[in-house]
Amino acid sequence: MKKVIVIGGGAAGLMAAGTALQKGADVTVIERNEKPGRKLMITGKGRCNVTNNCHDIAALIKNVPTNGRFLYSAFSAFMPQDTMALFEELGVPLKTERGNRVFPVSDKAADIVDALRRYSEEADFVQGRVVRLEAAENRILSCVLEDGRAFGGDAFILATGGVSYPLTGSTGDGFKIVKMLGHQVTDLKPSLVALRSPNGFCPKLQGLTLKNVRLSLFQDGKKKPLYAELGEMLFTHFGISGPTVLSASAYLKSFENASYYVTVDWKPGLTAEQLDARICRDFAAYANKDFVNALGKLLPQKCIPVIVSLSGIDPHKKVNQVTKEERRSLVHLLKEFRIEVTDFWSIEQAVITSGGVSTKEIDPKSMCSKLYENLYFAGEMIDVDAFTGGFNLQIAFSSAYAAATHASQLGGK
C-alpha cells in the first residue's frame, strides 16, 4: 500500500485524498485550517458552482485561456459528467442552470463540502502548516510542519491553492515551498476579479446592477474586442464588477504595457435605428417634459443623471426640442458606453489566482513534477485558470484525480 501525503484540504486536496483512497492508498491530509474546504464554502456566492455540464473537451479547453491544452489528458480522464456522477453518488442532487452551470439542488455549498469530506473521511487528517519539503536528489522524502513535525511518504500531492481569499488559508504557502525546490512559479495575478476605473461616474452608480447588457473589453488601438459577452454587471465605488466583468478580467494579464477599456451596450436587443425609434416614441409620450424627466421607461432611475450629464443635452430642454443629432449622440452613448479600466481590484478579493507552477515542469498526464519523481500538483498550484461557470472547480477536480491516480500507483508515475 502506497503512502500518499496530500498537502491542502480544499477542493483539489479533498478530491485527491478521496481518489487516492479509492485507488487503495494510505492517505494523510495536512490542512492548516481546523476544518477543510473553507474556501469552497464561499464559492458561487455560497451556492457552489461545482462544474460546467459541458460534454466537449474542446469547449472545456476553450474556457481555459491560460494553458488550456495542458489539461487535455486530465479532462479526458475526468470529465464534468464524472464530477456530477460522483457527487450524486455521494448524496448531493445537482441541477444545471443557464450557461450549463451546475449547482447542488439545495443551493448550499456546504453540501458539496460535506460530500467531499465524506469521500475522504478514511484519510488521516492532520491540522498544521507545511513550511518545506525535504528532498534527496529527485525524490521528496518528507514534509515538515511549522511546529517541527515531519511526515514521510511515498508520494506527495501539493494542493494548497493560490493567494486569493487569504482568510480561508490560501496564502501562497505552496508556491514558497516549490520555489525552495527549484520549481519555476509564473507571476501571480488576480483573475476573475473586479476592475478599477478612474471614471467619476462609477461611484455615482455604485450598487446599480445592469442585466442583459453586452460588455466588450478592448485594448486601446485595437478594433477587435478581446472579450464580449451578454450578461450582468455591477457598478462599485472603485469601478465595475459582476459576472461579465469577472470573465473579462481573465483576458487581462498586465496593465503595464497596454491600456484597456470596456464598452457597455445597454440595449443589445435593439439596433441603433430601433433604439432611436424607441426613444422617439418615449419622447412623444413625454412631449412637454424636460429631457431629464423623459428617460424613466428606458433606463434605471439611478443612472439617468449620469446619462443626461454625459449626453451633453441640456437636462431641462423639452424633449420635443431635442434634435436628431442629439438623439444620435444619446443612442451612441447607450450602445457604446465607455468605461476606462486601469487595474485589477485586490488579489485578496479575486475568485482565483492566475499563475502558478510552470506547466513546462509538470507532466500533463500525471500532474507529476518533472524535477521530482514523487511530487504532484493539483488545482490552483498549476499555472492554469479559466472563466466563470464552474470551469475552475472542474480543473481542480480533474487535476486532483490525475495526480491521485498516478501517485497511488505502486510503480510511480
Side-chain angles (χ1 to χ4, degrees), residues 234-283:
L234 166 73
F235 288 97
T236 70
H237 67 284
F238 57 80
I240 51 176
S241 187
T244 57
V245 174
L246 299 189
S247 291
S249 73
Y251 287 87
L252 298 170
K253 298 305 178 186
S254 173
F255 286 90
E256 295 175 4
N257 301 315
S259 298
Y260 302 93
Y261 65 94
V262 303
T263 62
V264 180
D265 183 347
W266 294 62
K267 301 293 178 181
L270 301 176
T271 64
E273 292 75 18
Q274 289 170 333
L275 179 56
D276 184 49
R278 161 72 193 274
I279 292 170
C280 285
R281 289 197 299 273
D282 285 357
F283 282 5

Side-chain angles (χ1 to χ4, degrees), residues 121-141:
E121 64 185 354
E122 292 182 17
D124 181 21
F125 279 81
V126 174
Q127 186 179 1
R129 184 177 187 177
V130 175
V131 292
R132 70 178 186 276
L133 296 178
E134 297 287 355
E137 296 182 349
N138 68 333
R139 190 169 182 83
I140 305 299
L141 302 178

Side-chain angles (χ1 to χ4, degrees), residues 28 86 93 151 157 181 193 232 250 305 307 320 330 356 373 387 389 412:
T28 296
L86 175 61
F151 293 83
I157 301 175
L181 295 171
V193 66
E232 186 176 313
I307 295 297
N320 56 14
L330 176 61
E373 64 181 12
F387 301 132

Side-chain angles (χ1 to χ4, degrees), residues 361-379:
E361 299 178 350
I362 304 172
D363 178 77
K365 185 176 181 180
S366 65
M367 298 296 141
C368 186
S369 162
K370 291 182 179 179
L371 307 185
Y372 298 89
E373 64 181 12
N374 64 335
L375 175 62
Y376 300 80
F377 302 104

Side-chain angles (χ1 to χ4, degrees), residues 216-228 261:
S216 303
L217 171 69
F218 291 89
Q219 181 176 335
D220 268 334
K222 296 187 177 181
K223 292 184 178 180
K224 187 177 180 180
L226 299 173
Y227 163 88
Y261 65 94

